[in-house]
Amino acid sequence: MTSRRAFTLLELLMAVMLLGMMSVISIVTYRSVVNGWRVSREYMDRLERTDFALDQLVSGLRCTYYPHNGEQSYEYGFQLEDRGDGENPRDSDIITWTKKGPALIGASASADALHRIELRVLEKGDSTWGARIEQTGLYARVKPMATVMKTSSSRRDEDEYDFKNEELYRPMLVAKDVDGFDCKVQPTVPQDGGDKKEEDASAFEDKFDASNAVPYKVQLTFYMPKEDPEYASRKTRIPLIRIVPLPIHKQSLDGAAVPGADDKN
């Protein structure tokens, strides 16, 4: 008769330990894959929402308005307040311009409606614009231009176009996943033979002194925070860059030529 050898207790314990280790490794791997998928999905959702909001902003800039009245006007000029590199709310720039149409306002707005827009990043808890901010993000204040249009340049009231009445012009959330903003401008059209190309980053400047006019192009950099899934305390910065030409630039130059007049640029 052939003898049959049974498993020893030690062998059984080792088998159970190996099975347990394999189970733990499988569970950890599965959780890592699921967590990575979830983080990637959330990031892509945030990126898609932010991209849509920024497209609305770009449309609003492309619809920049400047009157054909032969005069320059601060009420309609592009204004840039440079506050830093824009990588956090406190160092984010502020821009102000006048636009025509429903972009950033809503489909209910008339295609001929004029609005003055002020754009900046506000941090949670901030009350700079007269209302306590509940969520960090990119915000805008919108003011109908009817009051400015009725006010002559010789007796203009700065409160009418500088948003100093905080009770009337409350912040509107544009993109909740943006917590940094930097704006640079290309003040004028590059001259033939110049040493700066239109696409060259060095052509863009941090300041725009001609705030009674409109620059040739603006470069907008928006920052999205992205948490590193491996280190919850570490965040990486995701820059989203838009370069927007402003067709109204030539019209806003000294003399503000009416349509069909000789180009004075």
Side-chain angles (χ1 to χ4, degrees):
M1 174 181 279
T2 304
S3 62
R4 299 175 62 185
R5 180 176 179 273
F7 291 106
T8 64
L9 180 59
L10 179 59
E11 290 173 332
L12 289 173
L13 288 175
M14 291 181 64
V16 171
M17 289 176 60
L18 288 173
L19 181 61
M21 290 175 62
M22 292 177 63
S23 298
V24 170
I25 293 174
S26 298
I27 292 172
V28 171
T29 303
Y30 173 77
R31 287 183 175 176
S32 297
V33 171
V34 171
N35 186 58
W37 177 86
R38 179 185 58 80
V39 170
S40 298
R41 179 66 179 269
E42 290 177 355
Y43 170 69
M44 292 305 297
D45 288 344
R46 291 169 53 214
L47 183 61
E48 185 176 352
R49 291 195 305 268
T50 303
D51 197 57
F52 175 79
L54 299 185
D55 284 344
Q56 295 296 308
L57 173 58
V58 169
S59 295
L61 281 164
R62 286 175 176 164
C63 294
T64 298
Y65 174 84
Y66 206 93
H68 295 282
N69 59 5
E71 298 178 357
Q72 288 188 297
S73 171
Y74 287 96
E75 287 91 335
Y76 296 94
F78 182 93
Q79 298 173 6
L80 166 62
E81 181 179 340
D82 179 46
R83 304 174 73 226
D85 57 15
E87 291 198 14
N88 62 66
R90 290 181 294 277
D91 295 334
S92 293
D93 295 343
I94 304 173
I95 61 173
T96 310
W97 78 100
T98 300
K99 61 166 289 295
K100 187 175 184 180
L104 280 178
I105 310 300
S108 59
S110 168
D112 295 325
L114 298 181
H115 294 86
R116 189 76 174 163
I117 309 292
E118 186 175 25
L119 187 82
R120 69 181 298 177
V121 169
L122 293 174
E123 196 170 13
K124 182 179 179 180
D126 196 345
S127 57
T128 302
W129 277 357
R132 184 174 178 81
I133 300 302
E134 300 297 331
Q135 182 176 17
T136 300
L138 184 68
Y139 286 82
R141 288 197 296 181
V142 180
K143 184 182 71 60
M145 290 292 286
T147 52
V148 172
M149 294 175 69
K150 294 178 181 177
T151 305
S152 66
S153 300
S154 61
R155 52 187 182 84
R156 67 174 185 262
D157 181 358
E158 290 188 355
D159 290 354
E160 292 294 337
Y161 69 95
D162 279 346
F163 298 92
K164 292 184 178 180
N165 190 332
E166 295 177 346
E167 293 298 322
L168 288 178
Y169 312 118
R170 293 302 183 96
M172 172 186 71
L173 182 61
V174 175
K176 66 179 182 180
D177 294 311
V178 171
D179 68 353
F181 169 55
D182 181 65
C183 178
K184 298 181 185 298
V185 300
Q186 192 171 358
T188 59
V189 180
Q191 301 296 319
D192 293 337
D195 57 355
K196 291 183 179 180
K197 296 181 180 179
E198 294 184 26
E199 297 80 9
D200 189 350
S202 64
F204 291 91
E205 303 174 4
D206 287 318
K207 295 183 179 181
F208 183 61
D209 295 327
S211 55
N212 62 344
V214 174
Y216 172 55
K217 285 185 179 180
V218 295
Q219 176 181 280
L220 311 173
T221 303
F222 306 93
Y223 291 95
M224 286 179 56
K226 180 185 178 183
E227 292 186 1
D228 191 319
E230 296 183 4
Y231 303 95
S233 61
R234 189 173 74 184
K235 292 185 177 181
T236 56
R237 313 297 299 172
I238 310 297
L240 303 175
I241 300 175
R242 301 288 191 276
I243 295 179
V244 187
L246 303 181
I248 210 74
H249 162 68
K250 292 181 180 179
Q251 182 181 320
S252 72
L253 298 178
D254 189 19
V258 297
D262 293 337
D263 184 9
K264 294 188 178 183
N265 185 31

